[in-house]
Amino acid sequence: METLAIGVVVVAALYFAREVFVPLALALLLSFALAPLVISLRRWRIGRVTSVAAAVMCASLILLGVGTLIASQLAILAGDLPHYRYNITEKIRSLRGAASGGAILGRISDTLKDLSNDVAKPTELPSKAEAPAKSLVRPGPSDELASQEQQPVPVEIRPPSATPIEIIKAIAGPLLAPLATAGFVIVFVVFFLLQREDLRDRFIRLAGARDLNRTTRALDDAAGRLSRYLLRQSAVNASFGLLIGIGLWLIGVPNPILWGLLSMLLRFVPYIGSVIAVSFPAVVTFAVDTGWSMLIWTSGLYAVVEFVLGQVVEPILYGRTTGLSPVAIVVAAAFWTWLWGPIGLLLSTPLTLCLVVLGRHVDRLEFLNIALGDKPALSAEESFYQRMLAGDSDEAAQQAEEFLKKEALSVYYDQIAVKGLALAQLDVNRGALDHEQRVQLKESVDGVIADLSDHDDVASPITVERPLLGVEQEGAHSQVLVGPSWKKDQAVLCIAGRGSLDEAVAAMLAQLLQKQGIGACIVPSRDVLAANIAHFDIAGAQMACLSYLEAGGLTHARYLVRRLRRRLPNVKILLGLWTLSDEQARNLDAPWETGADTIVTSLGQALSEVDKAAREEGRIPDLAQPAGEAVLDRPASER
């Protein structure tokens, strides 16, 4: 509530004191744009005052030159417009004829108008024979005199001649406000550039003197981003105006210099700047050209140049993004326009960029970075978990397919799906998910797994490219041939450790194994309980893979391994602790605590271990052990 109140006060201050804040914001942005030039001049051993004066003078001359050139071009255009009156009249007539649909529609329209007039008229009109007799009497002299007395006398009001002072006020009055704003901006720019280091130190003192490193990085980040953004945008917009001016000159549009300059300036307005810029030369071509070809060529020129700069050049210069989300740019444009008018529209993107940078480095303003920044609000695993909670497996599968364009299916399961289920397990531990929600979550995960069944795990350690003994070549990729016992449906038992979430990870492992030609089945946790394990079907089992999102001190895993040892004495047992790191598994002494043959912490490691066991039976050389992945095995003497 306190934050909301502060925000309301700040917005109200920005609105009611806009006469002060608008020049201040313009000066701040100009100082960021001119700072690299001042720094470069200082490096050439030019004094501070001289460097600032040179930079400000250079910027003022450029702006003054652009304004003068636009004014002269507008004067020329105003003098030429009367010559285009005939073309405008003819085109309006042709458009009116096209809109009316020709002579037939015109007659229908006239008929309907006559009918409406007839309905509106009185039903009967007195005839000449029935007219009163007095209407036939000739008016006398007294009547003529009365009618003359009733006629109004025209009155002409002439204002007094304006004095020289009034003429000066009428001319200079509209110019005083812009000139005053320009003067304030110049003064602020000079002050900001001269006191740059002192203002930075004062801001650090106010914002975070206890954390100089973080505050300094925030300021450097904001200054660097703004300077680069303004300079690159100015260069791109200048190129846009130059290309438009040359193109319009080749097309034959009058005053191409004027339209090029206006296009350069209007393109600073996000999204709609180019649309506004094309409207002015479009109106001129409508007046100049007797046909429509010049208008078509002009519109096509703007479309092509905008597409090339917006989709090719700007992504390269800006690194694909300015740090703002597209929605934030639109919302910021609407907000700052409402707050400060057209000037606010021009300043919306740079000002919003400053807010995002502050939110990135100041903890209390982090909500600005979340709301306006271009980074996803949720991480990949958080997004996966949210989609599962919402029961939206289709959208989760779509996000997975985008990920699978660059990575393998096993990598997606390890880095996103399993981590998302780990978040769900934390909610289960604190009682935030009831039984019904867990069931829905499991069904959603099953839907994602089913949707991804068509994707191959191309980076799996079981798939190799080598013409060795025991390898069947199929095109460019080859797949390891395993013994017949490993192709049975229950060759690998993917056993859920505790509940439905562990069963979901077991389903992912089973799918990956089946894609490599190894038989695998999913075993729910209830089937391996002490009361049910005696009735558990173990026919054809070659290996058991236990799945745990939450080890729970390894107690549950230890007793489950004991039950499996009694039921499957000759089967190798692999324990998957998906939320632990290799170092954490070592610190827990997991192989010795649980009695499992092998401990893995990722699905990739589990695939590698199953592959090793399958190839040992087929006597295939072990070339698929991934480098850098630690797998914890029990000593041979303890197996």
Side-chain angles (χ1 to χ4, degrees):
M1 195 66 183
E2 180 182 355
T3 304
L4 179 61
I6 294 174
V8 171
V9 172
V10 170
V11 171
L14 290 174
Y15 180 78
F16 290 107
R18 55 185 177 273
E19 288 80 6
V20 176
F21 284 111
V22 168
L24 192 63
L26 285 171
L28 185 63
L29 295 179
L30 283 176
S31 63
F32 276 118
L34 296 177
L37 178 59
V38 174
I39 294 173
S40 299
L41 293 176
R42 292 293 306 278
R43 289 174 181 172
W44 295 342
R45 300 187 181 278
I46 299 177
R48 178 191 298 272
V49 177
T50 305
S51 300
V52 172
V56 174
M57 185 66 67
C58 180
S60 301
L61 290 177
I62 292 175
L63 295 176
L64 182 62
V66 171
T68 304
L69 189 56
I70 291 177
S72 63
Q73 291 291 314
L74 286 174
I76 296 174
L77 178 64
D80 293 339
L81 282 179
H83 301 295
Y84 308 138
R85 181 177 180 181
Y86 175 77
N87 291 339
I88 296 174
T89 304
E90 291 298 321
K91 285 192 175 181
I92 292 176
R93 288 177 179 175
S94 63
L95 290 175
R96 185 181 299 170
S100 63
I104 296 177
L105 293 180
R107 293 194 189 101
I108 295 175
S109 178
D110 294 339
T111 303
L112 293 176
K113 289 180 181 179
D114 294 338
L115 290 175
S116 63
N117 292 332
D118 292 340
V119 172
K121 289 179 180 178
T123 55
E124 292 185 2
L125 292 174
S127 61
K128 293 181 179 180
E130 298 177 352
K134 65 179 181 180
S135 63
L136 301 177
V137 179
R138 184 175 181 180
S142 60
D143 296 333
E144 293 180 356
L145 182 60
S147 63
Q148 290 178 0
E149 291 177 354
Q150 293 177 358
Q151 291 180 356
V153 178
V155 178
E156 183 179 358
I157 300 176
R158 295 183 178 180
S161 301
T163 62
I165 296 178
E166 292 176 345
I167 295 174
I168 294 174
K169 288 182 178 180
I171 296 176
L175 298 177
L176 288 178
L179 290 176
T181 302
F184 279 126
V185 170
I186 293 175
V187 171
F188 282 141
V189 168
V190 173
F191 176 76
F192 288 155
L193 292 176
L194 286 175
Q195 302 295 324
R196 180 171 174 269
E197 289 77 8
D198 182 65
L199 291 175
R200 181 192 61 190
D201 296 341
R202 293 179 183 276
F203 181 82
I204 291 175
R205 179 69 178 177
L206 291 173
R210 297 180 180 179
D211 193 354
L212 292 176
N213 181 32
R214 190 171 186 179
T215 308
T216 302
R217 285 191 291 108
L219 287 177
D220 292 341
D221 188 13
R225 280 178 177 268
L226 273 177
S227 298
R228 290 192 299 270
Y229 171 75
L230 292 174
L231 292 177
R232 291 174 181 177
Q233 190 183 37
S234 299
V236 171
N237 293 347
S239 302
F240 179 79
L242 179 62
L243 293 175
I244 291 297
I246 295 174
L248 294 178
W249 175 71
L250 294 175
I251 294 173
V253 179
N255 307 101
I257 298 177
L258 173 63
W259 312 129
L261 291 174
L262 287 179
S263 300
M264 177 189 69
L265 296 177
L266 289 172
R267 201 174 183 275
F268 282 96
V269 179
Y271 292 110
I272 62 173
S274 300
V275 178
I276 298 175
V278 71
S279 61
F280 294 106
V283 172
V284 173
T285 56
F286 178 84
V288 172
D289 190 15
T290 56
W292 301 95
S293 60
M294 188 177 291
L295 177 60
I296 296 174
W297 279 105
T298 300
S299 302
L301 173 66
Y302 272 87
V304 171
V305 175
E306 174 63 27
F307 177 81
V308 172
L309 291 181
Q311 303 300 323
V312 178
V313 177
E314 285 184 339
I316 296 175
L317 290 178
Y318 297 154
R320 291 287 177 188
T321 180
T322 59
L324 302 176
S325 66
V327 176
I329 294 176
V330 175
V331 174
F335 172 77
W336 290 108
T337 303
W338 166 77
L339 202 63
W340 289 348
I343 297 296
L345 181 61
L346 289 173
L347 301 178
S348 60
T349 301
L351 291 177
T352 309
L353 184 60
C354 290
L355 295 177
V356 170
V357 172
L358 289 176
R360 190 169 298 163
H361 296 282
V362 180
D363 293 337
R364 298 190 64 180
L365 299 178
E366 186 180 3
F367 69 94
L368 294 173
N369 185 32
I370 296 174
L372 304 176
D374 60 341
K375 293 184 178 180
L378 298 177
S379 62
E381 56 268 22
E382 291 172 340
S383 178
F384 175 84
Y385 179 34
Q386 189 276 329
R387 300 300 186 273
M388 296 301 97
L389 286 176
D392 195 353
S393 59
D394 292 338
E395 186 173 352
Q398 182 180 0
Q399 294 177 345
E401 289 175 350
E402 292 295 325
F403 184 90
L404 293 176
K405 292 179 180 179
K406 299 180 180 179
E407 299 289 348
L409 183 59
S410 59
V411 178
Y412 170 76
Y413 283 153
D414 271 329
Q415 295 184 1
I416 296 178
V418 173
K419 291 183 178 180
L421 292 177
L423 297 176
Q425 185 64 51
L426 292 177
D427 285 346
V428 171
N429 294 343
R430 63 186 183 90
L433 292 179
D434 56 22
H435 176 72
E436 184 178 350
Q437 290 176 315
R438 293 198 298 270
V439 171
Q440 178 184 349
L441 186 67
K442 172 62 169 54
E443 292 175 352
S444 300
V445 175
D446 289 340
V448 174
I449 295 174
D451 289 335
L452 299 180
S453 59
D454 295 334
H455 290 269
D456 293 330
D457 188 28
V458 294
S460 171
I462 300 180
T463 301
V464 294
E465 297 182 1
R466 52 197 170 105
L468 297 178
L469 181 63
V471 176
E472 180 182 4
Q473 290 185 323
E474 296 180 358
H477 293 275
S478 304
Q479 190 176 62
V480 175
L481 288 178
V482 297
S485 59
W486 287 86
K487 293 184 178 181
K488 296 179 181 180
D489 293 339
Q490 296 188 150
V492 178
L493 303 177
C494 299
I495 302 174
R498 286 188 168 183
S500 57
L501 298 181
D502 293 334
E503 186 177 343
V505 184
M508 298 175 191
L509 178 59
Q511 184 190 66
L512 294 173
L513 291 172
Q514 291 167 0
K515 287 180 178 297
Q516 307 305 327
I518 295 179
C521 67
I522 307 168
V523 180
S525 58
R526 63 178 179 274
D527 290 351
V528 291
L529 294 176
N532 300 329
I533 195 170
H535 308 288
F536 178 53
D537 185 10
I538 60 171
Q542 302 294 320
M543 191 171 186
C545 298
L546 310 186
S547 175
Y548 278 93
L549 279 169
E550 180 67 31
L554 302 179
T555 302
H556 188 279
R558 180 170 67 250
Y559 285 105
L560 178 54
V561 170
R562 288 182 181 179
R563 291 196 295 269
L564 291 174
R565 288 286 181 205
R566 291 192 294 267
R567 191 76 174 87
L568 304 168
N570 298 321
V571 171
K572 184 176 182 180
I573 298 177
L574 179 145
L575 176 60
L577 304 176
W578 313 121
T579 57
L580 298 182
S581 65
D582 294 334
E583 186 65 26
Q584 290 172 331
R586 289 193 185 94
N587 293 336
L588 291 174
D589 290 333
W592 298 271
E593 285 289 333
T594 62
D597 296 298
T598 305
I599 306 295
V600 295
T601 58
S602 68
L603 294 176
Q605 293 177 0
L607 290 176
S608 177
E609 287 300 303
V610 175
D611 170 45
K612 183 192 297 184
R615 283 185 284 103
E616 285 177 356
E617 180 179 317
R619 296 180 181 178
I620 299 174
D622 185 5
L623 297 180
Q625 173 69 27
E629 291 188 345
V631 179
L632 306 180
D633 291 325
R634 296 175 62 209
S637 59
E638 298 184 11
R639 294 182 183 177

